């Protein structure tokens, strides 16, 4: 055995155990799989069960002992609630507590510290339960044991109630034998999805019943395993609780949402409405359901929303009859009957009771609902409860912290004994199967996984990594490339013969942030939120005012504040109504100021109804004619880009912004990718307009909510809310700084003290000896010498330092390859060309990804991604690339 591996006691195989107990008349074990395996190995005539667990024996004898049927968990809790008048949750919690105490001691009342708890115990103790049978059973009095040779396997695993079911005389069988065992090879794979995929790839589709997968059934990796099994079409044994039944799950979800109708949003109900064929208009996800109108949804959604609104007028059975038919209605009514709630009116507390019962009462099984292919096949065993696994091939997955049991100190429980017993169980479990495969993660939550505590306790050493658990740790995947079939994606994206994928500013922003993010955005889009909805309202009003200014003035601004506030209230919070109205009013006034200042004469030459997304506000007023100045779609003839201009007039672009105002420097940083978020809009829109003959290469951003307090004044200068970006025909360098009037004015006004009023000397220096490296001018000896000489200064350190300070003024204007001066951001021609080259390259790259898979390649990291929950890869930091293996 490798000295690095954790040494374990060698466990007897199931075959070895059977050989040892073969000649006994009865074998008792607490492990149900071992019971089944031993019964299946009996090679002689035998009547009844050869191997049995104490609980199965108690169940077998219960009718004779109690003279009545056993009550199920739900019936037990419901009866005790009726007898005591106590809350359902409290009673269920106390029943669970009583059962746990009985596992360790018969003195239950001694460890109950409240009168209500003791009241629950008295009621529970009198009911026909399996615990009552086991507690009152006396093995030495039971006639069925007489004359039998009884073997007991693993007495350490028997709890107090289990031991009560044993005969007076029996032989104890040790589950361990001489010698040691150690884990050989441990395979280290990537994240949960990859571990699951590789593990499932080992399974022979022709013989799935030869395989078992051991894991923590409550951990995320369990869902990955089930998904991988479904993907390959492999059958597996699935234990289905009542909470897993679709109809019951949908019924509870519908009730939960209904009792919070006043605050529930479309995104909350969208999934459950889809179950009942409900649909909503796109972009309504963040609206309050109660604020939507009939036109925002189909007939089914409208009926469901009305039922939600009036749900407390109905009984539970009436709601069930409206929602379900056939077998689904039978399933829900069965649950309501067990809870005795069919004829009760729906209420918040009763909904909470149903939800709690379904989530926490383990007895509620509907085995008839398990599909046939989930009654046989690959066995999924829980590492927290399993000991023996009767399958030839066993795959162990995880082996990390999620395998750690939690034993909290209690007066009736010896924590150290419990950990010792669990360590024995773990040693047996890890030796199951004729062939064993151990799989662990490479990383979990950004860190190296830590082995479960049992390895440390068994080896009595500090085991911190999986290198110390097995004889070898082998990284890498082994699943074949054909093991996973990638879905077709080509038809999902828009291609044309010339350009392939065409980027809008939003799709390209997403692509730069991460190709996988771009994929999700294109596949499922993004829902409206209070920010995007506010922006949409402002844009719609701007188009209306541009085309019909007299109508707006006639109705008055407050009319439109009322109309837009009513619509916006569906997505905002009711508590913010007054604040929202103030913001809407401010935005509308500033849009009107700006358009009035332009003094435009738009021609109504288009129909807004012909656009994919028309103007809702104009539709409400019955107006269809619009102008090509507003909401005009531009598409490039040279590059794979297109964009919709909010306003294009006199060769200039205007984009209305309703978010937080940005400074010119912040705008430049976003375009230069120096900010947390990337924004290509000015670069892309100026490139689009540059292809038009009338273009003046100017892009304005109007922040309609900037200077909110001051803009309420009648004489407010709306240009204070304007940010301007301009495209230059010159590259960044000497010529741009010599010829651009905005740059020259800015430098003149920001000259250092020693050269103030003498900017002509600086420009002369730039013209004479300046290079194209603007940010390097302050370190250029030739420029420093020339400037001091031109100023008539001696070449001493003090004067050279003054020259350096002066030469830094131009360099400070450069931000991410762009130039930021007072009142404008200037995009040099080379920066625009670099952007377009990057777009062209991205289009070719995206087209190649579209036929395979888009990689995870975040510009920053994954933490703030809108699609984080959809992405199956682990989080990575900026600059890393995680391809699909």
């Amino acid at each position: 055995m490798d000295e690095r591996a954790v040494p374990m006691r060698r466990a007897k195989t199931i075959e070895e155990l059977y050989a040892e107990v073969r000649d006994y008349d009865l074998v008792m074990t607490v492990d149900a799989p071992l019971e089944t395996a031993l019964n299946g190995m009996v090679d002689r005539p035998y009547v009844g069960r050869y191997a049995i667990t104490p609980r199965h024996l108690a169940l077998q004898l219960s009718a004779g002992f109690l003279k009545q049927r056993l009550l199920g968990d739900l019936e037990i809790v419901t009866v005790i609630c009726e007898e005591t008048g106590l809350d359902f949750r409290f009673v269920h919690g106390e029943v669970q507590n009583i059962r746990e105490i009985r596992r360790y001691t018969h003195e239950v009342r001694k460890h109950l510290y409240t009168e209500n708890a003791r009241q629950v115990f008295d009621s529970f103790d009198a009911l026909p339960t399996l615990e009552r049978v086991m507690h009152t059973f006396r093995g030495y009095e039971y006639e069925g044991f007489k004359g039998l040779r009884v073997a007991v396997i693993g007495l350490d695993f028997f709890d107090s109630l289990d031991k009560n079911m044993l005969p007076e005389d029996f032989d104890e069988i040790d589950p361990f034998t001489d010698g040691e065992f150690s884990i050989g090879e441990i395979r280290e794979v990537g994240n949960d999805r990859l571990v699951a995929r590789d593990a499932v790839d080992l399974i022979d589709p022709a013989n799935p019943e030869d395989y078992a997968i051991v894991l923590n059934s409550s951990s995320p990796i369990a869902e990955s395993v089930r998904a991988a099994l479904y993907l390959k079409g492999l059958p597996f044994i699935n234990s289905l609780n009542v909470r897993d039944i679709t109809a019951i799950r949908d019924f509870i979800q519908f009730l939960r949402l209904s009792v919070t109708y006043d605050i529930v949003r479309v995104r909350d109900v969208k999934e459950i409405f889809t179950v009942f064929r409900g649909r909503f208009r796109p972009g309504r996800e963040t609206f309050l359901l109660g604020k939507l109108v009939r036109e925002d949804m189909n007939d089914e959604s409208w009926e469901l929303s009305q039922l939600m609104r009036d749900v407390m007028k109905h009984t539970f059975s009436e709601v069930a009859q409206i929602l379900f038919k056939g077998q689904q209605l039978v399933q829900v009514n069965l649950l309501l009957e067990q809870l005795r709630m069919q004829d009760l009116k729906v209420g918040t507390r009763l909904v909470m009771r149903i939800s709690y019962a379904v989530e926490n009462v383990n007895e509620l099984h509907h085995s008839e609902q398990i599909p046939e292919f989930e009654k046989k096949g690959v066995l999924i065993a829980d590492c927290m409860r399993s000991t023996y696994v009767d399958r030839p091939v066993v795959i162990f997955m995880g082996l990390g912290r999620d395998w750690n049991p939690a034993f909290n100190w209690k007066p009736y429980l010896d924590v150290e004994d419990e950990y010792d017993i669990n360590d024995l169980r773990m040693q047996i479990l890890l030796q199951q199967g004729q062939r064993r495969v151990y799989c662990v993660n490479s990383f979990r939550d950004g860190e190296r996984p830590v082995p479960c505590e049992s390895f440390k306790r068994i080896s009595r050493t500090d085991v911190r990594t999986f290198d110390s658990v097995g004889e070898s740790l082998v990284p890498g995947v082994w699943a074949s490339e054909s093991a996973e079939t990638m879905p077709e994606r080509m038809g999902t994206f828009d291609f044309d013969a010339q350009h392939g994928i065409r980027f809008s500013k939003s799709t390209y922003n997403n692509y730069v942030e991460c190709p996988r993010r771009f994929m999700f955005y294109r596949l499922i889009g993004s829902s409206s939120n209070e920010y995007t909805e506010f922006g949409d309202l402002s844009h719609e009003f701007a188009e209306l005012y541009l085309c019909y200014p007299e109508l707006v003035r006639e109705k008055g601004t407050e009319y439109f504040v009322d109309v837009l506030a009513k619509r916006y209230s569906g997505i905002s919070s009711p508590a913010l109504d007054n604040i929202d109205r103030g913001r809407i009013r401010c935005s509308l006034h500033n849009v009107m100021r700006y358009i009035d200042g332009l003094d435009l004469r738009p021609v109504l030459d288009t129909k807004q109804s012909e656009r994919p997304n028309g103007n809702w506000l104009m539709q409400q007023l019955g107006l269809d004619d619009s102008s090509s100045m507003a909401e005009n779609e531009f598409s490039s003839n040279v590059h794979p880009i297109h964009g919709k201009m909010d306003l294009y007039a006199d060769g200039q672009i205007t984009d209305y912004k309703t978010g937080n105002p940005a400074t010119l420097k912040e705008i430049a940083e976003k375009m230069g990718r120096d900010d947390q978020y990337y924004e290509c809009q000015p670069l892309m829109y100026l490139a689009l307009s540059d292809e038009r003959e009338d273009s003046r290469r100017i892009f304005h951003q109007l922040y309609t909510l900037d200077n909110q307090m001051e803009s309420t004044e009648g004489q407010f200068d709306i240009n204070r809310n304007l940010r301007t970006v301009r495209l230059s025909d010159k590259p960044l360098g000497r010529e741009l700084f010599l010829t651009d009037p905005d740059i020259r004015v800015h430098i003149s006004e920001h000259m250092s003290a020693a050269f103030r009023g003498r900017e002509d000397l600086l420009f002369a220096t730039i013209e004479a000896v300046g290079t194209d490296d603007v940010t390097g001018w302050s370190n250029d000896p030739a420029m420093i010498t020339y400037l001091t000489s031109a100023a008539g200064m001696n070449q001493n350190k003090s004067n050279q330092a003054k020259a350096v300070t002066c030469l830094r003024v131009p360099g400070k204007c450069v931000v991410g390859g762009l130039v930021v001066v007072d009142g404008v951001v200037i995009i040099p021609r080379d920066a625009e060309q670099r952007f377009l080259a990057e777009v062209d390259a991205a289009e070719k790259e995206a087209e190649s990804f579209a036929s395979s898979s888009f990689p995870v390649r975040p510009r920053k990291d994954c933490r703030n991604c809108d699609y984080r929950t959809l992405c199956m890869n682990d989080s990575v930091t900026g600059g890393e690339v995680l391809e699909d293996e």
Side-chain angles (χ1 to χ4, degrees):
M1 186 182 75
D2 194 310
E3 294 182 358
R4 294 175 299 173
V6 173
M8 305 182 199
R9 296 177 61 187
R10 195 176 84 78
K12 296 173 183 174
T13 65
I14 295 176
E15 290 76 12
E16 289 172 331
L17 286 172
Y18 177 71
E20 191 170 347
V21 301
R22 181 181 180 281
D23 296 328
Y24 284 86
D25 301 307
L26 182 67
V27 179
M28 299 192 71
T29 173
V30 294
D31 190 78
L34 179 59
E35 169 199 40
T36 302
L38 292 175
N39 283 325
M41 299 175 76
V42 176
D43 55 0
R44 55 190 169 87
Y46 200 88
V47 178
R49 291 192 180 185
Y50 166 70
I52 197 167
T53 67
R55 277 170 168 71
H56 286 162
L57 178 60
L59 185 64
Q60 186 176 296
L61 301 175
S62 61
F65 267 69
L66 300 174
K67 309 302 182 186
Q68 57 183 314
R69 72 175 182 87
L70 294 176
L71 294 183
D73 285 5
L74 189 57
E75 292 175 294
I76 291 170
V77 177
T78 303
V79 169
I80 295 175
C81 285
E82 293 175 350
E83 290 182 356
T84 62
L86 296 171
D87 179 71
F88 188 94
R89 291 191 183 199
F90 175 80
V91 171
H92 178 258
E94 286 304 317
V95 168
Q96 297 297 93
N97 187 41
I98 290 166
R99 283 174 163 165
E100 180 180 309
I101 295 172
R102 265 197 170 159
R103 288 182 55 216
Y104 300 100
T105 177
H106 295 295
E107 298 177 337
V108 177
R109 287 184 67 88
K110 174 182 174 182
H111 300 288
L112 299 175
Y113 304 113
T114 67
E115 185 57 37
N116 285 343
R118 289 188 285 270
Q119 194 177 355
V120 171
F121 172 70
D122 292 338
S123 181
F124 175 79
D125 205 37
L127 294 176
T129 64
L130 192 66
E131 286 80 9
R132 182 178 166 191
V133 174
M134 299 178 75
H135 178 65
T136 57
F137 184 83
R138 298 293 180 266
Y140 57 84
E141 297 177 352
Y142 177 51
E143 292 293 328
F145 282 151
K146 294 201 176 157
L148 297 181
R149 291 184 63 216
V150 179
V152 174
I153 299 177
L155 186 61
D156 288 336
F157 301 127
F158 283 63
D159 62 31
S160 178
L161 285 176
D162 293 329
K163 290 176 181 176
N164 224 40
M165 299 297 297
L166 296 177
E168 187 172 16
D169 296 316
F170 59 84
D171 293 331
E172 181 180 353
I173 306 299
D174 189 348
F176 295 95
T177 186
D178 296 334
E180 287 187 345
F181 169 84
S182 67
I183 294 175
E185 178 183 275
I186 297 178
R187 295 299 303 236
E188 182 185 66
V189 194
N191 55 29
D192 289 347
R193 182 179 67 89
L194 297 177
V195 172
R197 187 192 71 175
D198 283 11
V200 170
D201 190 64
L202 296 172
I203 298 172
D204 181 3
N207 300 290
E209 294 187 2
D210 289 347
Y211 296 81
I213 298 175
V214 180
L215 43 68
N216 183 335
S217 61
S218 300
S219 68
I221 200 171
E223 290 304 314
S224 297
V225 168
R226 293 188 182 99
L229 289 166
Y230 276 126
L231 187 63
K232 288 199 68 174
L234 292 172
F236 63 95
I237 298 175
N238 196 5
S239 59
L240 190 69
N241 289 320
V242 67
R243 62 176 171 268
D244 300 313
I245 297 176
T246 302
I248 291 176
R249 190 171 60 245
D250 292 341
F251 183 61
I252 292 174
Q253 178 70 353
F254 187 88
L255 291 174
R256 281 174 175 167
L257 294 166
S258 296
V259 296
T260 58
Y261 175 79
D262 290 337
I263 60 172
V264 76
R265 297 185 182 271
V266 172
R267 65 186 173 209
D268 303 317
V269 303
K270 191 173 182 180
E271 182 177 352
I272 189 66
F273 274 36
T274 302
V275 172
F276 302 104
R277 299 182 299 281
R279 298 289 185 274
F280 293 93
R281 280 180 60 192
R284 290 290 176 264
E285 284 78 5
T286 50
F287 279 74
L288 290 169
L289 179 63
K291 294 289 186 177
L292 295 186
V293 296
R294 180 67 184 78
E295 291 73 21
D296 287 325
M297 61 192 85
N298 65 0
D299 293 341
E300 289 80 3
S301 285
W302 181 252
E303 292 172 5
L304 290 168
S305 68
Q306 299 308 293
L307 176 60
M308 276 192 169
R309 185 191 64 189
D310 302 328
V311 72
M312 294 190 184
K313 298 177 182 178
H314 298 277
T315 64
F316 284 99
S317 60
E318 287 172 348
V319 175
Q321 289 170 6
I322 293 172
L323 294 177
F324 302 105
K325 299 288 185 279
Q327 181 63 23
Q328 289 187 321
L329 180 60
V330 172
Q331 294 164 352
V332 176
N333 280 337
L334 176 62
L335 172 66
L336 295 174
E337 182 180 342
Q338 289 178 294
L339 286 166
R340 305 184 186 186
M341 294 175 63
Q342 310 99 301
D343 300 323
L344 298 180
K345 285 285 182 69
V346 175
T348 302
R349 291 190 63 185
L350 293 178
V351 170
M352 291 172 63
R353 175 186 291 190
I354 294 179
S355 178
Y356 179 85
V358 169
E359 290 295 330
N360 295 279
V361 180
N362 297 324
E363 173 261 353
L364 290 172
H365 288 281
H366 284 49
S367 59
E368 72 278 4
Q369 296 304 313
I370 302 178
E372 284 299 319
F373 68 86
E374 294 187 16
K375 293 181 180 179
K376 57 185 178 180
V378 180
L379 172 66
I380 299 179
D382 190 346
C383 67
M384 308 303 286
R385 294 192 293 267
S386 300
T387 306
Y388 289 93
V389 180
D390 187 24
R391 294 294 174 98
V393 183
V394 181
I395 303 169
F396 300 89
M397 300 182 64
L399 302 172
R401 286 174 175 164
D402 56 342
W403 281 48
N404 290 337
F407 298 115
N408 300 318
W409 180 90
K410 292 174 184 174
Y412 52 83
L413 182 151
D414 188 319
V415 173
E416 282 302 313
D417 283 350
E418 290 303 307
Y419 276 113
D420 289 342
I421 292 170
N422 182 73
D423 293 341
L424 294 175
R425 183 189 65 81
M426 186 70 73
Q427 291 178 76
I428 296 173
L429 175 62
L430 292 171
Q431 299 179 50
Q432 297 305 295
Q434 298 169 14
R435 179 189 172 199
R436 294 173 286 275
V437 180
Y438 305 90
C439 306
V440 301
N441 294 103
S442 300
F443 287 91
R444 182 177 286 278
D445 297 326
E447 298 179 354
R448 297 285 292 174
V450 177
C452 70
E453 290 293 319
S454 290
F455 293 118
K456 183 187 296 185
R457 295 173 61 87
I458 293 168
S459 66
R460 302 188 185 281
T461 60
D462 190 12
V463 179
R464 296 187 178 183
T465 65
F466 283 103
D467 301 72
S468 307
V469 172
E471 295 176 4
S472 63
L473 183 66
V474 181
V477 299
W478 62 82
S480 61
E481 289 299 322
S482 60
E484 184 172 356
T485 303
M486 297 301 300
E488 287 291 332
R489 297 197 180 108
M490 288 290 290
T492 308
F493 295 91
D494 298 329
F495 289 88
D496 64 37
Q498 184 178 1
H499 295 300
I501 292 176
R502 302 187 67 79
F503 292 109
S504 68
K505 63 108 174 175
S506 298
T507 56
Y508 189 69
N509 286 345
N510 279 288
Y511 192 86
V512 171
E513 294 296 344
C514 177
R516 180 68 58 84
R517 178 189 176 106
F518 163 81
M519 180 193 77
F520 283 125
Y521 182 83
R522 290 296 300 271
L523 290 175
I524 63 177
S526 62
S527 62
S528 295
N529 55 42
E530 60 267 34
Y531 306 109
T532 59
E533 182 65 18
F534 192 95
D536 291 343
L537 297 178
S538 296
H539 284 69
E540 290 175 355
F541 177 80
E543 181 181 8
L544 171 66
Y545 187 69
L546 174 72
C547 300
Y548 301 94
E550 296 83 4
L551 174 65
V552 174
R553 296 191 192 103
E554 178 186 338
K555 288 184 173 293
T557 309
E558 285 305 306
Y559 169 84
F560 293 98
V561 171
D562 291 339
V563 172
L564 298 182
K566 183 177 180 181
R567 177 178 164 188
Y568 186 64
S569 66
I571 200 168
S572 182
S573 169
L576 298 175
D577 184 60
N578 289 333
I579 296 175
D580 292 337
R581 291 179 64 86
R583 294 174 68 240
I584 292 171
R585 185 179 295 108
C586 176
S587 182
L588 300 194
H589 277 305
N590 285 333
V591 166
M592 293 170 68
R593 277 195 183 104
Y594 179 71
I595 293 176
D596 287 343
L598 296 177
D599 194 26
L600 300 173
R601 298 290 185 269
V603 177
L604 303 185
D605 54 355
T606 65
K607 302 287 186 182
Q608 59 87 17
S609 60
E610 295 177 357
R611 301 199 300 255
N613 297 302
N615 186 313
W616 174 85
L617 184 56
M618 292 175 66
Q619 291 169 2
Q620 301 304 302
L621 296 170
L623 304 173
D624 194 22
D625 291 335
S626 185
S627 171
S628 55
M629 288 184 179
E631 303 297 323
N632 198 353
E633 181 78 24
F634 286 19
S635 186
S636 172
N637 295 318
V638 182
H639 304 283
I641 56 175
H642 67 97
K644 182 184 288 186
M645 312 295 177
D646 293 347
L647 177 64
Y648 185 81
D650 192 25
Q652 303 180 62
I653 306 163
T654 298
D655 194 74
Y656 305 114
K657 299 292 185 184
T658 55
N660 293 328
T663 65
L664 291 171
K665 183 179 179 182
E666 289 170 344
I667 293 171
E669 287 173 343
K670 286 182 170 64
M671 286 191 283
R673 307 191 186 188
D674 294 331
D675 194 76
Q676 181 180 357
Y677 301 105
Y678 174 68
E679 179 55 72
C680 72
Q681 187 186 33
L683 289 160
M684 183 175 289
Y685 281 24
L686 284 168
L688 288 168
S689 70
D690 197 34
E691 295 183 22
R692 297 172 64 100
E693 293 182 0
D694 63 342
S695 175
R696 293 175 59 187
R697 301 173 182 169
I698 296 174
F699 177 90
H700 299 295
Q701 292 182 348
L702 176 66
Y703 287 91
T704 65
L705 294 178
D706 196 6
N707 301 301
Q708 289 190 48
M709 296 299 295
E710 298 170 70
S711 64
T712 58
E713 301 172 0
Q715 301 303 314
F716 177 72
D717 181 6
I718 192 61
N719 289 322
R720 291 177 57 190
N721 288 11
L722 210 61
R723 313 289 188 269
T724 300
V725 183
R726 179 163 54 80
L727 177 61
S728 172
D729 59 356
K730 293 180 173 56
L732 178 63
R734 169 180 170 276
E735 187 178 359
L736 176 63
F737 274 73
L738 286 172
T739 59
D740 193 287
D742 289 321
I743 295 177
R744 292 183 69 98
V745 170
H746 176 88
I747 290 176
S748 297
E749 294 178 353
H750 293 79
M751 287 293 290
S752 59
F755 287 87
R756 191 163 295 140
R758 306 178 71 184
E759 60 273 7
D760 56 321
L761 298 178
L762 174 60
F763 289 116
T765 301
I766 296 172
E767 185 171 10
V769 294
T771 66
D772 286 332
D773 181 14
V774 180
T775 57
W777 286 350
S778 59
N779 296 318
D780 188 334
M783 294 191 74
I784 295 170
T785 300
Y786 191 97
L787 181 57
T788 52
S789 298
M793 296 178 175
N794 295 325
Q795 297 294 326
N796 56 39
K797 289 186 178 180
S798 175
N799 290 334
Q800 288 182 341
K802 293 175 182 178
V804 167
T805 302
C806 180
L807 289 166
R808 281 177 181 160
V809 174
K812 289 179 179 178
C813 299
V814 180
V815 178
L818 311 179
V819 180
V820 180
V821 295
D822 292 340
V824 64
V825 177
I826 300 169
I827 301 177
R829 177 59 68 179
D830 58 327
E832 183 78 343
Q833 290 172 343
R834 281 196 304 273
F835 165 74
L836 292 173
E838 290 169 357
V839 171
D840 292 341
E843 181 263 338
K844 292 181 174 59
E845 183 183 59
E847 187 172 352
S848 67
F849 291 154
S851 60
S852 56
S853 179
F854 285 80
V856 176
R857 191 177 67 201
R859 186 176 66 91
K860 291 291 186 182
D861 56 48
C862 297
R863 287 175 297 180
N864 297 320
C865 180
D866 295 335
Y867 307 100
R868 179 72 190 91
T869 57
L870 298 175
C871 188
M872 296 182 69
N873 283 302
D874 287 340
S875 296
V876 295
T877 56
E880 291 187 73
V881 180
L882 186 58
E883 303 278 358
D884 278 347
E885 278 81 355

